[in-house]
Amino acid sequence: MGRGGQNSGSSENLGANEEAKGDHFAAWSKDVRECEEKYEVRREYGLSADEVEKRRQIYGLNELEKHEGPSILRLVLDQFNDTLVRILLVAAVVSFVLAWYDGNEGGEMEITAFVEPLVIFLILIVNAIVGVWQESNAEKALDALKEIQSEHASVIRDGKKISNLPAKELVPGDIVELRVGDKIPADMRVLSLISSTLRVEQGSLTGESEAVSKTTKAVAEDVDIQGKKCVVFAGTTVVNGNCICLVTQIGMNTEIGKVHAQIQEAAESEDDTPLKKKLNEFGEALTAIIGVICFLVWVINVKYFLTWDIVDGWPRNFKFSFEKCTYYFEIAVALAVAAIPEGLPAVITTCLALGTRKMAAKNALVRKLPSVETLGCTTVICSDKTGTLTTNQMAVAKLVAMGSNTNAVRSYDVQGTSYDPFDGKILNWPVGQLDSNLQMIAKIAAICNDADVEKAGQDKSGHYVANGMPTEAALKVLVEKMGLPNELSSTSSSGYDGVLTCAYTWNKIEQRIATLEFDRDRKSMGVIVSSSTGNKLLVKGAVESLLDRSSHVQLLDGSVVELDQSLRAVILESLHELSSNALRVLGFAYKDDLTEFATYDGDEDHPAHKLLLKPETYSSIESNLVFVGLAGLRDPPRKEVPRAIEDCRTAGIRVMVITGDNKATAEAICRDIGVFGRHENISSRSLTGKEFMELSDRTENYLNQDGGLLFSRAEPRHKQEIVRLLKDSGEVVAMTGDGVNDAPALKLADIGIAMGIAGTEVAKEASDMVLADDNFSTIVSAVGEGRSIYNNMKAFIRYMISSNIGEVACIFLTAALGIPEGLIPVQLLWVNLVTDGPPATALGFNPPDKDIMKKPPRRSDDSLISPWILFRYLVIGAYVGIATVGIFIIWYTRSSFLGIDLSGDGHSLVTYSQLANWGQCSTWNNFTASPFTAGNQEIKFDNPCDYFQTGKIKAMTLSLSVLVAIEMFNSLNALSEDGSLLTMPPWVNPWLLLAMSISFGLHFLILYVPFLAQIFGIVPLSLNEWLLVLAVALPVILIDEVLKFVGRCTSGMRSSSSKRSLKHKEE
């Protein structure tokens, strides 16, 4: 930044002492002479080199501050600021230490022990890389803002003109010349106009829908940014005219600098998404649960590694077994691994990524993955008007022509919302039968016009775009919709390959030979044309101004009558009707009797030419006009917006319109699109940004009203304040916008949505989502998609958590019963990451509910798992634990079960008492264990007691297989929260059936590939053993069907109970 940002908030006083006092100088409210005196400069001479250097020492360079983003190390560390991740990290470190210890002690299967910590570390590394990559994009909005700054300026210094000075070297007090097409390099006070008019396109900064005329006249000190008519702003563009300006603000003190600071402030206050908050809460609860269960496991098993004798009523002779202590510590680590759904982050990311692809197909391009889910709980959409709710393309909505007598006019409704000449038509139009009056209107609109319309793209296959003033482009489109009279040959436009064939024809018939430029005093533009009937003057401009200079009116048949008071009243009544509908109205007039210009042919030597060089004579030339008609133009609402607003209302989402445009125009658009009713009293619902900021109870009495709201003349800080207050009151806010002025609010909102076509790069980089078609209705579709994604995420989160509850129950039961551990950590990790992953991901493809957009948005504090769902999955988890431990016990103690023979492998049977006290095996008399087969292997024992360690490999395989099978069947239960599989059969989501096949396939892979079987400590199973697995696993579907039935029967009671508790909580 150099030193440009050091004086933020300071005045423009040049003395260092005055600077420190913060004295404020409002250049827009002072006349030109006062401004020159304040900045100690004359426009003819400019600043001296010495003075420039002094001021640079005070103000620094004219550039935006470079905010240092967080370092890579900080971003990496931030990725571990998550409860689930921290639990995983601790589990991985402990696992690694234990594996190292076992290896040094000559433990078995060291490769197995190290797989678990290495896989967990790999998960954490990938998670950190993805997180850092996403967050490193956060600063791009600020970089994009710098790109819209001007690079060079034409400056007067030491009495000499420097035409290519780097814009960053400007200082307050510099004299700058601006020309058409220039990007304005700093905030500047207009000193004088070189041309008759100066127009600036500043909509991206102020939200205004059309270019703004600038003047040298001072305005009130307390006006809003749109009212500063004598100031031009950095980053905006001159579209018409030349002028001399005085630099008043540079760098961070400019309006664009303030936006830059607001973006930075908004970026620093970004909140977690609703889902992340829920997952953090879940992680904290999980930490507490894991701690309690681990403690219970140790308490239950303390007798195995710590013994003592009771002497005189006191414990004495303590004996501690470090080996058994570490064994049960490993069980506790296994418990932690079992309780944590390691695959959850990956599955959530995958589901969100799939959601982004679905949204991209609907023209919503998601830049930040969590915003997919955030959309689902959006309660308020704050929308910009220009370019979002409207097309940002001026279009004629009404055409008023003169009637057959002096008491009537003809009014035509014009369809269409874009620059496409084929978009809509004129209703009740006499196609090809244009009378003299309509022909004259078409002629003036086509010839008294400097704009053009063409198709975008090199091959001319894109959308229609305007070159020149939007209002003039709209008039050209109107001419095309009016068509040509039948008597004009259709071949008159031969050789022309553009889109404006009618306008081209009129320009060919009557050729323009001189232009009387528009100026703000007479508020009109005129052209002199040469035709077969002699020279004519064609004029368009403000209706009142034209009527003041008109003496006659042309009627339908071409006859001309005198303009009397009654006829004037008829025309003014039409003007009032159009203006009250927030239309911008232009009038059309002509003049046949051109005394001075009757023989003018464009020759500079003609006596009349000198009149064209004097703009002050234009009013007299444009006098005694013949008035012919008027047209009402507007930036029209998009066709699909009213339906989208209605969909929002049905879905319980409030729509608030926040625009920089004027109040009357914004209110008319809001009535058109359905934010307000046609005849609704909106005095309490429509405020300017300034009026809103002056309210004492902004949130309680204003923002919390039901229905739509409108904020007009809103500045960036107003938009930010509205978004902040809504978020503070618990709303989930989506903010749309396209301009630089929208960027801070886009950054601050829960989800910022930028326009892809009309949007500035600054807005896009500050956003979470970009609309490729700039269409408000796309947001509504995306909200529906977000709700569907959230429902599916709830389905797979419930599925994964219920599976983990089952794993915890299994390990807890193993420890409680004292039997050998049936599942080791690496097996649990495999189940959580690999076999659970595909079904969980496939649940993300569940079809959306048909009434998804007819329900109110969920509350952002709604729990992921309700008490009833938790109870259900505790029951399911208990069954998983009983089934996995039960099949382990069955293999050791039974030769058959449910008629399935298990004795084929030749293994020895033991009693349940022996299995529960296996640690005392060395004290048993005459205990033996026979070798048994597993696939092609034979399992032998040098020491019979090894039957409970190395010999448990078959029982472990059965436990793991039951766990995998139950979790596959349990994924079918997760298809619907309460719906039966009879009403929502598995084939409604064929991806889930495919995923189950993949998971079973992966399980078969580790069972029947010897190398993988060795890593996971398992062996192949026989057909009978697989039948046993299925017999034990299938009941999980029946149990959950019964629970779902109970849930459906009691849903009304639970719903009313939750409402009562919510009401009590709010009170």
Side-chain angles (χ1 to χ4, degrees):
M1 160 66 202
R3 297 177 55 181
Q6 295 176 0
N7 303 294
S8 182
S10 66
S11 79
E12 293 156 311
N13 285 325
L14 302 177
N17 292 334
E18 290 177 308
E19 187 76 39
K21 293 175 187 173
D23 185 22
H24 180 68
F25 181 72
W28 59 89
S29 65
K30 313 298 181 186
D31 65 31
V32 169
R33 185 178 297 278
E34 279 184 89
C35 293
E36 288 183 341
E37 288 173 359
K38 182 69 179 180
Y39 287 93
E40 299 172 6
V41 66
R42 286 186 295 116
R43 76 185 78 171
E44 301 83 11
Y45 188 80
L47 296 174
S48 65
D50 291 342
E51 189 62 28
V52 168
E53 194 53 42
K54 285 179 190 174
R55 297 189 186 193
R56 186 167 296 126
Q57 293 300 316
I58 298 172
Y59 297 102
L61 293 173
N62 177 33
E63 55 187 16
L64 300 180
E65 273 181 357
K66 173 67 176 172
H67 287 281
E68 292 297 330
S71 65
I72 293 295
L73 178 61
R74 178 74 262 164
L75 287 174
V76 170
L77 292 176
D78 284 346
Q79 304 314 308
F80 294 90
N81 187 26
D82 180 280
T83 312
L84 274 177
V85 170
R86 286 200 291 263
I87 299 171
L88 267 178
L89 189 60
V90 171
V93 169
V94 172
S95 299
F96 192 85
V97 170
L98 291 175
W100 189 271
Y101 172 79
D102 283 348
N104 287 339
E105 293 295 314
E108 56 183 308
M109 288 194 294
E110 291 125 11
I111 188 170
T112 305
F114 279 107
V115 165
E116 178 200 332
L118 290 176
V119 169
I120 296 178
F121 279 130
L122 183 63
I123 293 168
L124 296 176
I125 290 167
V126 171
N127 183 58
I129 289 170
V130 171
V132 169
W133 175 75
Q134 284 184 330
E135 291 184 27
S136 62
N137 291 328
E139 299 301 310
K140 286 189 177 177
L142 303 179
D143 295 336
L145 199 58
K146 295 188 185 77
E147 289 175 10
I148 73 168
Q149 287 184 289
S150 173
E151 293 183 359
H152 297 94
S154 180
V155 184
I156 298 171
R157 285 182 180 171
D158 290 318
K160 298 175 184 175
K161 185 175 177 181
I162 306 170
S163 58
N164 217 17
L165 182 82
K168 69 178 182 179
E169 295 182 14
L170 289 176
V171 295
D174 261 325
I175 303 297
V176 175
E177 182 180 344
L178 292 177
R179 295 180 176 276
V180 175
D182 283 353
K183 191 172 279 185
I184 296 167
D187 285 6
M188 302 190 286
R189 172 68 159 89
V190 180
L191 297 181
S192 63
L193 301 184
I194 299 173
S195 59
S196 56
T197 57
L198 175 71
R199 294 169 75 82
V200 175
E201 175 52 66
Q202 59 183 40
S204 65
L205 184 65
T206 63
E208 290 160 297
S209 56
E210 54 187 58
V212 177
S213 293
K214 295 293 180 178
T215 176
T216 58
K217 295 175 184 175
V219 295
E221 184 171 342
D222 62 348
V223 297
D224 52 25
I225 186 172
Q226 293 92 344
K228 296 177 181 177
K229 299 294 186 184
C230 57
V231 175
V232 292
F233 302 106
T236 60
T237 307
V238 180
V239 294
N240 174 252
N242 305 346
C243 68
I244 301 293
C245 298
L246 167 68
V247 175
T248 58
Q249 299 280 21
I250 63 169
M252 293 298 290
N253 290 334
T254 61
E255 291 297 331
I256 204 171
K258 293 172 187 173
V259 171
H260 182 281
Q262 288 163 355
I263 292 175
Q264 180 65 23
E265 180 188 337
E268 289 169 359
S269 60
E270 281 187 302
D271 295 330
D272 289 339
T273 65
L275 179 67
K276 192 170 192 314
K277 290 175 184 174
K278 287 283 157 252
L279 290 176
N280 283 341
E281 289 168 13
F282 167 66
E284 287 161 11
L286 192 62
T287 307
I289 292 167
I290 290 172
V292 169
I293 295 176
C294 287
F295 177 73
L296 286 174
V297 168
W298 270 54
V299 168
I300 290 168
N301 292 289
V302 72
K303 60 185 178 183
Y304 294 116
F305 58 84
L306 181 64
T307 57
W308 57 85
D309 298 325
I310 303 296
V311 179
D312 298 329
W314 293 91
R316 298 279 193 274
N317 305 324
F318 287 94
K319 293 177 184 177
F320 177 73
S321 169
F322 185 74
E323 183 180 352
K324 288 187 177 179
C325 177
T326 56
Y327 170 76
Y328 286 105
F329 191 69
E330 285 177 355
I331 288 180
V333 171
L335 195 67
V337 172
I340 302 167
E342 290 90 351
L344 189 58
V347 174
I348 287 175
T349 302
T350 305
C351 182
L352 293 175
L354 291 170
T356 64
R357 292 188 64 183
K358 288 183 187 176
M359 288 185 176
K362 297 178 179 179
N363 290 314
L365 311 177
V366 176
R367 298 182 65 249
K368 297 175 184 175
L369 280 183
S371 59
V372 175
E373 178 274 332
T374 307
L375 267 173
C377 56
T378 297
T379 57
V380 176
I381 297 176
C382 293
S383 179
D384 181 36
K385 177 186 74 69
T386 308
T388 309
L389 300 174
T390 64
T391 62
N392 200 21
Q393 298 183 12
M394 294 298 286
V396 176
K398 280 273 191 183
L399 175 63
V400 177
M402 306 315 296
S404 56
N405 58 61
T406 58
N407 298 321
V409 293
R410 296 170 291 163
S411 181
Y412 297 97
D413 289 321
V414 185
Q415 296 176 327
T417 58
S418 68
Y419 294 128
D420 180 356
F422 305 101
D423 175 18
K425 61 183 181 178
I426 306 175
L427 300 181
N428 303 315
W429 189 249
V431 179
Q433 305 295 321
L434 275 66
D435 54 64
S436 298
N437 181 236
L438 294 178
Q439 287 188 41
M440 183 55 75
I441 292 174
K443 194 182 298 182
I444 297 169
I447 304 173
C448 188
N449 195 319
D450 291 326
D452 189 21
V453 173
E454 62 183 14
K455 274 197 166 187
Q458 291 183 345
D459 58 353
K460 304 292 183 185
S461 62
H463 59 283
Y464 290 85
V465 295
N467 295 323
M469 296 298 294
T471 49
E472 294 194 333
L475 291 177
K476 283 276 180 84
V477 173
L478 171 68
V479 173
E480 299 308 304
K481 291 176 181 177
M482 292 174 77
L484 295 170
N486 290 332
E487 59 265 24
L488 283 181
S489 170
S490 59
T491 59
S492 57
S493 62
S494 59
Y496 174 70
D497 62 352
V499 296
L500 303 176
T501 54
C502 297
Y504 173 81
T505 302
W506 289 118
N507 274 278
K508 193 173 178 184
I509 293 169
E510 302 202 357
Q511 296 181 353
R512 190 155 106 180
I513 55 176
T515 301
L516 282 65
E517 288 183 354
F518 174 91
D519 69 47
R520 64 183 179 279
D521 293 324
R522 74 184 208 284
K523 297 178 182 175
S524 62
M525 168 194 176
V527 294
I528 298 172
V529 296
S530 168
S531 70
S532 57
T533 58
N535 289 355
K536 287 192 192 74
L537 173 66
L538 308 181
V539 185
K540 75 170 190 302
V543 176
E544 297 101 321
S545 177
L546 290 190
L547 284 176
D548 288 343
R549 286 177 279 138
S550 295
S551 56
H552 294 79
V553 173
Q554 183 192 51
L555 300 181
L556 179 149
D557 59 1
S559 60
V560 174
V561 298
E562 188 175 347
L563 174 61
D564 56 21
Q565 287 304 316
S566 64
L567 190 47
R568 181 185 296 270
V570 169
I571 295 170
L572 288 176
E573 186 180 344
S574 296
L575 169 65
H576 176 73
E577 183 184 337
L578 298 187
S579 299
S580 62
N581 287 315
L583 298 181
R584 183 182 178 194
V585 187
L586 288 176
F588 307 105
Y590 74 97
K591 183 178 180 180
D592 274 331
D593 182 19
L594 294 177
T595 51
E596 301 97 331
F597 293 93
T599 59
Y600 182 68
D601 58 0
D603 187 352
E604 293 183 8
D605 295 329
H606 191 282
H609 184 75
K610 62 180 181 293
L611 295 175
L612 297 175
L613 303 178
K614 299 176 182 178
E616 62 271 17
T617 66
Y618 289 177
S619 289
S620 62
I621 298 171
E622 294 176 354
S623 59
N624 295 317
L625 299 173
V626 179
F627 190 85
V628 295
L630 53 149
L633 304 91
R634 65 172 175 169
D635 176 12
R638 295 176 179 273
K639 297 172 186 173
E640 55 286 327
V641 166
R643 173 64 189 274
I645 296 286
E646 185 56 38
D647 288 345
C648 285
R649 192 173 285 116
T650 305
I653 300 169
R654 291 193 293 154
V655 177
M656 299 183 184
V657 179
I658 310 176
T659 178
D661 216 345
N662 72 68
K663 195 171 184 177
T665 303
E667 286 178 349
I669 292 292
C670 285
R671 290 189 191 278
D672 281 353
I673 62 178
V675 172
F676 301 138
R678 278 286 174 193
H679 306 292
E680 181 183 353
N681 180 1
I682 58 172
S683 57
S684 64
R685 295 181 176 277
S686 172
L687 294 179
T688 64
K690 191 174 178 182
E691 289 167 348
F692 173 72
M693 296 298 279
E694 290 169 355
L695 290 179
S696 57
D697 52 352
R698 297 195 287 250
T699 305
E700 292 79 3
N701 287 357
Y702 195 78
L703 289 180
N704 288 343
Q705 294 181 81
D706 290 334
L709 298 176
L710 168 65
F711 303 89
S712 48
R713 288 294 186 189
E715 297 179 23
R717 62 192 176 90
H718 300 153
K719 296 185 179 187
Q720 260 187 298
E721 180 68 4
I722 291 164
V723 171
R724 186 186 64 76
L725 289 171
L726 286 168
K727 288 179 69 176
D728 288 349
S729 63
E731 304 285 2
V732 178
V733 184
M735 171 78 196
T736 75
D738 60 348
V740 174
N741 59 329
D742 299 317
L746 289 174
K747 197 78 173 171
L748 184 63
D750 292 294
I751 173 161
I753 305 169
M755 303 299 108
I757 299 170
T760 59
E761 284 304 309
V762 184
K764 291 177 193 174
E765 292 296 347
S767 68
D768 303 290
M769 191 172 93
V770 178
L771 301 183
D773 57 357
D774 286 12
N775 195 327
F776 182 82
S777 64
T778 301
I779 302 172
V780 182
S781 300
V783 169
E785 195 63 51
R787 290 185 177 188
S788 172
I789 288 167
Y790 180 74
N791 288 346
N792 292 345
M793 285 170 69
K794 274 179 73 174
F796 67 65
I797 288 170
R798 289 196 308 268
Y799 160 66
M800 296 189 86
I801 290 171
S802 69
S803 301
N804 286 88
I805 290 172
E807 293 166 19
V808 170
C810 166
I811 293 171
F812 184 75
L813 278 174
T814 300
L817 297 175
I819 63 175
E821 63 175 334
L823 296 168
I824 57 176
V826 72
Q827 294 170 348
L828 292 170
L829 200 62
W830 171 262
V831 171
N832 287 351
L833 280 176
V834 183
T835 52
D836 281 0
T841 305
L843 286 169
F845 288 94
N846 278 355
D849 297 338
K850 289 186 174 66
D851 61 348
I852 198 162
M853 285 300 283
K854 293 179 181 175
K855 298 175 181 175
R858 73 178 194 277
R859 293 171 58 91
S860 57
D861 58 355
D862 277 355
S863 59
L864 276 172
I865 303 171
S866 66
W868 168 247
I869 294 294
L870 180 61
F871 171 76
R872 260 176 57 186
Y873 285 111
L874 284 173
V875 173
I876 295 294
Y879 178 75
V880 174
I882 292 167
T884 48
V885 172
I887 200 167
F888 187 94
I889 295 171
I890 287 167
W891 186 81
Y892 267 106
T893 61
R894 303 287 296 272
S895 60
S896 67
F897 186 75
L898 297 177
I900 301 169
D901 182 23
L902 301 175
S903 61
D905 59 3
H907 72 281
S908 301
L909 298 180
V910 297
T911 64
Y912 173 74
S913 175
Q914 287 176 313
L915 185 63
N917 295 285
W918 65 276
Q920 300 170 21
C921 171
S922 57
T923 64
W924 297 343
N925 294 324
N926 303 319
F927 176 70
T928 59
S930 306
F932 64 89
T933 58
N936 297 326
Q937 303 175 51
E938 185 179 30
I939 311 297
K940 297 180 180 178
F941 317 102
D942 296 329
N943 180 351
C945 291
D946 288 344
Y947 185 47
F948 299 105
Q949 286 288 82
T950 54
K952 69 179 179 179
I953 192 166
K954 175 68 75 71
M956 281 175 60
T957 305
L958 286 167
S959 286
L960 179 63
S961 298
V962 163
L963 181 63
V964 169
I966 284 183
E967 295 192 358
M968 292 307 100
F969 297 139
N970 195 27
S971 68
L972 297 176
N973 292 331
L975 271 171
S976 174
E977 188 169 324
D978 279 320
S980 167
L981 281 173
L982 297 174
T983 58
M984 197 167 186
W987 48 87
V988 299
N989 186 349
W991 293 103
L992 181 58
L993 298 177
L994 177 64
M996 289 173 63
S997 304
I998 291 170
S999 291
F1000 272 126
L1002 290 168
H1003 185 60
F1004 291 147
L1005 190 70
I1006 65 168
L1007 274 180
Y1008 296 104
V1009 174
F1011 169 71
L1012 294 175
Q1014 182 189 359
I1015 289 178
F1016 288 96
I1018 51 181
V1019 290
L1021 297 179
S1022 67
L1023 178 61
N1024 273 14
E1025 288 158 350
W1026 271 114
L1027 290 173
L1028 178 64
V1029 167
L1030 292 176
V1032 172
L1034 276 169
V1036 74
I1037 292 178
L1038 298 176
I1039 293 170
D1040 203 44
E1041 282 292 304
V1042 171
L1043 290 169
K1044 283 182 178 180
F1045 177 74
V1046 174
R1048 289 194 297 273
C1049 293
T1050 59
S1051 62
M1053 293 165 50
R1054 284 184 284 111
S1055 173
S1056 59
S1057 172
S1058 66
K1059 283 178 182 175
R1060 282 197 302 272
S1061 64
L1062 180 62
K1063 187 176 180 182
H1064 176 71
K1065 184 179 175 183
E1066 287 175 346
E1067 288 171 353

